[in-house]
Amino acid sequence: MMSGSSPPPPSLPAGSGSFFFRGYTKLCKGLAVILLLVHLVVQLFPSAVTYLALIPGRTIPFAWNLITAGYVEQTIPGVVVSIIGLLLFGKLLEPLWGSKELSKFIFIVNFSTSACVFITAIVLYYITQQEIYLYTPLSGFYGVLSGLLVGIKQLLPDQELNLFVLKVKAKWIPSLVAVISVFVSFFVKDLMSYLPVVLFGIYMSWIYLRYFQKRLETGLKGDPSEEFTFSSFFPEVLRPVLDPIASIFHRLLCGRSERSDARGQTLDTSPLPGSDSIEANRRRERGQRALEQRLAEKLAAVRSSEGTSLDAADKV
């Protein structure tokens, strides 16, 4: 026993170096393993890219490429970024959405993004007659990652994230990613093929969350709040121009009325005064509470570990 001497400074327990990697959900860890395994397969057997990646000229009859392409990362940096992003974003969203809804969201965004990229490649081929648009393998998880950022924008819009020396609110992250992707693609031609995946991932995820995702607390579909309009992705100076254009797609997708809950009542799509703000505030509060709860659990785990370490040191 070390008597008469001050206790040693607190130290993290053995194995605490992996503390950053704790708390990730089973769904996201399982998908991360799939991303890694598929990457290893295409590295060991390069011909597998022909059957797994999206090659528009061969999508018929290889239609499964519309699903598998999203899970094919052909480069080491790509698979590292995809796995880290999936684990971090999934840890924020899955407690709020649940595993079933998160898996549904990933599937829908992945498939719809691949379908849009396929159609775009076919259109570009018919316009330019360049076969590069038909036979370039397109793949990557970036569409889903961009979609997950849109989900974070919806649930935690005012949460500040540290990006190197900058603090950026979560609601601007998808727009920032889109702008950076467009800018970089002009200078790095190899990244041009990823640009449609990122942009369609952002747009298709917004369409799903805006019009089709079922809200458990109300039983209705979509998110009609003003804070989640299409123009909310852009600076306010552009919104008067974008809102009339976005309203056209709103009428096409949403119509002028919605079916109500199981009682068979009919509700007009125009919400009650202030209902959009109330719903948005409730969504932000749920996201903030979930985030605070996770931080409190992590802090309690660290303190418990430090207390255990101190007790062990006193007994030496």
Side-chain angles (χ1 to χ4, degrees), residues 101-222:
E101 175 57 34
L102 180 59
S103 59
K104 179 181 177 182
F105 175 84
I106 291 175
F107 176 83
I108 291 176
V109 172
N110 177 48
F111 178 78
S112 60
T113 299
S114 296
C116 290
V117 171
F118 168 74
I119 294 172
T120 301
I122 297 298
V123 171
L124 289 174
Y125 167 72
Y126 280 107
I127 293 175
T128 65
Q129 294 297 308
Q130 296 183 17
E131 292 188 352
I132 188 175
Y133 293 112
L134 289 183
Y135 297 106
T136 299
L138 304 172
S139 64
F141 201 66
Y142 301 112
V144 175
L145 291 183
S146 302
L148 294 175
L149 288 175
V150 176
I152 294 175
K153 165 186 168 65
Q154 180 196 36
L155 296 175
L156 301 168
D158 296 320
Q159 181 67 36
E160 287 190 342
L161 303 177
N162 292 321
L163 299 179
F164 301 103
V165 295
L166 299 177
K167 284 187 176 181
V168 182
K169 289 187 176 181
K171 65 182 179 180
W172 295 117
I173 298 296
S175 305
L176 188 61
V177 168
V179 171
I180 292 176
S181 299
V182 173
F183 179 78
V184 172
S185 64
F186 282 109
F187 299 95
V188 184
K189 296 301 181 182
D190 292 340
L191 299 181
M192 181 65 74
S193 60
Y194 294 102
L195 181 60
V197 178
V198 172
L199 297 182
F200 281 125
I202 292 174
Y203 188 62
M204 300 310 296
S205 61
W206 174 78
I207 286 181
Y208 172 72
L209 295 175
R210 177 72 170 173
Y211 298 108
F212 299 107
Q213 185 187 50
K214 187 173 182 180
R215 292 175 287 166
L216 297 178
E217 65 274 10
T218 63
L220 300 177
K221 291 184 178 181

Side-chain angles (χ1 to χ4, degrees), residues 19 22-23 91-92 94-97 156 159 284-303:
F19 180 77
R22 298 176 184 173
K91 186 166 64 171
L92 287 174
E94 187 168 347
L96 304 175
W97 284 350
L156 301 168
Q159 181 67 36
R284 283 195 291 269
E285 289 173 1
R286 288 197 305 273
Q288 191 64 36
R289 284 198 300 268
L291 183 61
E292 291 174 355
Q293 181 179 358
R294 286 194 295 273
L295 292 176
E297 291 174 352
K298 290 182 179 180
L299 182 60
V302 171
R303 288 177 176 174

